[in-house]
Amino acid sequence: MADPSKILKANVKGEFFVDSTCIDCDVCREIAPEIFADWGGYSYVRSQPRNEAERRKAVQALICCPVGAIGFVGDNSKSLILNVINDFPILIEDDVFYCGFNSEKSYSANSYFIKNPKGNLLVDSPRFTSHLVRKFESMGGIKYIFLTHRDDVADAESFASYFNSTIIIHKDDLIGGKSADFIIEGEEPFQIEQEFLIIPTPGHTEGHCVLLYKNKFLFTGDHIWWDRDKNCLSAGKSVCWYSWEEQIKSVEKLIEFDFEWILPGHGGRMKLPKDKVKEELKKLVERMKRWR
Ligand SMILES: [Fe+2]
């Protein structure tokens, strides 16, 4: 729980606050940008909720905060938190959900759940919580756990052992997935079920992969994300652990695929028309070449 004695002085006074244990992971700013903003190394409350919808989003951010740095001292705060927990996993579109409950073990990477008749799939891992376990159970369990790369493993093994799931990760990133049942090798796209296509995208790490679902959703891990401030697609040279040149090639490779949704581990989520996505990818490749 957040500590009022550690409250950041930048917070606008009111029922929500952020304390100094914040790790600046950006999750609250992605969920509730009307409420939370960047204060150089921390998030802070820029504006208190003005209505019930904003209040609910602020509570969702509190639930997702991996270090419990968001405090809520409003009326009925405990009962509202218990009520909002039931929002998770949150529907994004069709049969794709954002899990919430981001884990500090993966520096708060987002994870996603796909409910599919051929078998449900978890993309990266949230915290192993009884609420999510019950929810996933009621939605048919987890057949596959796809790990985009070695950093975002979090509690994947706990989910895998509970649901008897198959863990999938690229061979070159196996170091983080302490065990795996299904190992991707090389750089060719690999189909695991009709609608799940794994595309190796080395760069951020050597074995980084993205997942294309129904030619509509691209789960991008730490390969690319939407920059909310600059309103464009982005990638990070400062967080490129393997090879920037490889990462440029891996972004270029995505231009041939069709998708609308960019669903990253960190940073902004975005939906655009397919042709606009291709334009954004081309512009990003040009910027990445300039950042060499
Ligand atoms: Fe990463």
Side-chain angles (χ1 to χ4, degrees):
M1 286 297 288
D3 182 348
S5 73
K6 294 181 181 167
I7 193 165
L8 295 171
K9 64 173 189 237
N11 290 291
V12 165
K13 281 198 170 51
E15 59 184 355
F16 288 91
F17 68 89
V18 178
D19 77 16
S20 60
T21 62
C22 169
I23 57 171
D24 193 27
C25 72
D26 186 56
V27 162
C28 62
R29 307 192 296 254
E30 170 64 15
I31 295 173
E34 312 85 353
I35 311 297
F36 302 98
D38 183 5
W39 192 51
Y42 299 98
S43 290
Y44 76 106
V45 175
R46 78 195 307 175
S47 167
Q48 295 290 337
R50 291 160 295 187
N51 53 50
E52 279 312 302
E54 286 190 1
R55 204 163 179 241
R56 193 163 194 97
K57 281 216 184 157
V59 176
Q60 288 176 349
L62 177 153
I63 292 163
C64 294
C65 175
V67 292
I70 298 173
F72 177 32
V73 291
D75 292 341
N76 304 318
S77 57
K78 278 192 185 146
S79 63
L80 185 58
I81 291 168
L82 288 174
N83 180 291
V84 175
I85 281 176
N86 289 310
D87 293 355
F88 294 92
I90 295 174
L91 182 65
I92 294 176
E93 193 170 286
D94 298 347
D95 44 10
V96 171
F97 300 79
Y98 162 55
C99 298
F101 294 90
N102 296 48
S103 170
E104 193 178 5
K105 293 176 194 166
S106 59
Y107 189 60
S108 197
N110 297 314
S111 62
Y112 304 92
F113 180 83
I114 303 172
K115 184 165 169 39
N116 184 276
K118 296 265 174 65
N120 299 336
L121 185 145
L122 186 67
V123 179
D124 293 327
S125 171
R127 270 174 269 153
F128 187 76
T129 65
S130 57
H131 170 77
L132 281 180
V133 167
R134 276 199 309 275
K135 277 294 186 97
F136 292 153
E137 215 156 25
S138 72
M139 294 165 93
I142 302 170
K143 183 173 181 185
Y144 300 109
I145 299 177
F146 166 66
L147 299 173
T148 55
H149 66 300
R150 65 186 179 209
D151 301 338
D152 295 351
V153 172
D155 291 335
E157 287 191 4
S158 302
F159 283 107
S161 77
Y162 188 90
F163 288 105
N164 198 24
S165 327
T166 298
I167 292 184
I168 305 167
I169 190 168
H170 195 282
K171 181 169 164 264
D172 294 333
D173 267 31
L174 201 49
I175 185 171
K178 293 168 196 127
S179 66
D181 312 291
F182 200 110
I183 296 165
I184 307 294
E185 290 190 52
E187 294 198 12
E188 287 304 307
F190 191 91
Q191 197 109 36
I192 47 168
E193 294 282 0
Q194 202 186 348
E195 292 165 319
F196 296 116
L197 183 70
I198 294 174
I199 308 167
T201 48
H204 172 72
T205 58
E206 193 170 0
H208 192 288
C209 294
V210 299
L211 175 73
L212 179 62
Y213 179 56
K214 287 185 171 171
N215 288 327
K216 180 171 180 179
F217 301 91
L218 190 76
F219 300 90
T220 61
D222 289 352
H223 185 46
I224 52 173
W225 58 85
W226 191 258
D227 184 323
R228 293 186 305 273
D229 297 327
K230 296 182 180 146
N231 204 31
C232 64
L233 207 52
S234 195
K237 194 174 177 189
S238 64
V239 289
C240 176
W241 316 131
Y242 171 59
S243 161
W244 189 241
E245 289 307 310
E246 288 299 315
Q247 195 163 344
I248 295 171
K249 280 193 236 161
S250 295
V251 174
E252 218 158 12
K253 185 193 220 179
L254 294 178
I255 297 169
E256 71 180 90
F257 296 96
D258 285 328
F259 56 93
E260 297 169 20
W261 272 102
I262 292 131
L263 298 171
H266 302 280
R269 294 187 272 276
M270 179 51 78
K271 184 186 182 191
L272 295 168
K274 288 178 179 174
D275 53 347
K276 179 78 178 149
V277 171
K278 289 183 194 291
E279 260 176 53
E280 284 290 334
L281 286 166
K282 286 175 192 165
K283 284 194 252 174
L284 176 59
V285 167
E286 290 315 307
R287 284 196 297 277
M288 290 173 80
K289 285 178 180 170
R290 291 201 294 273
W291 298 339
R292 274 175 173 140

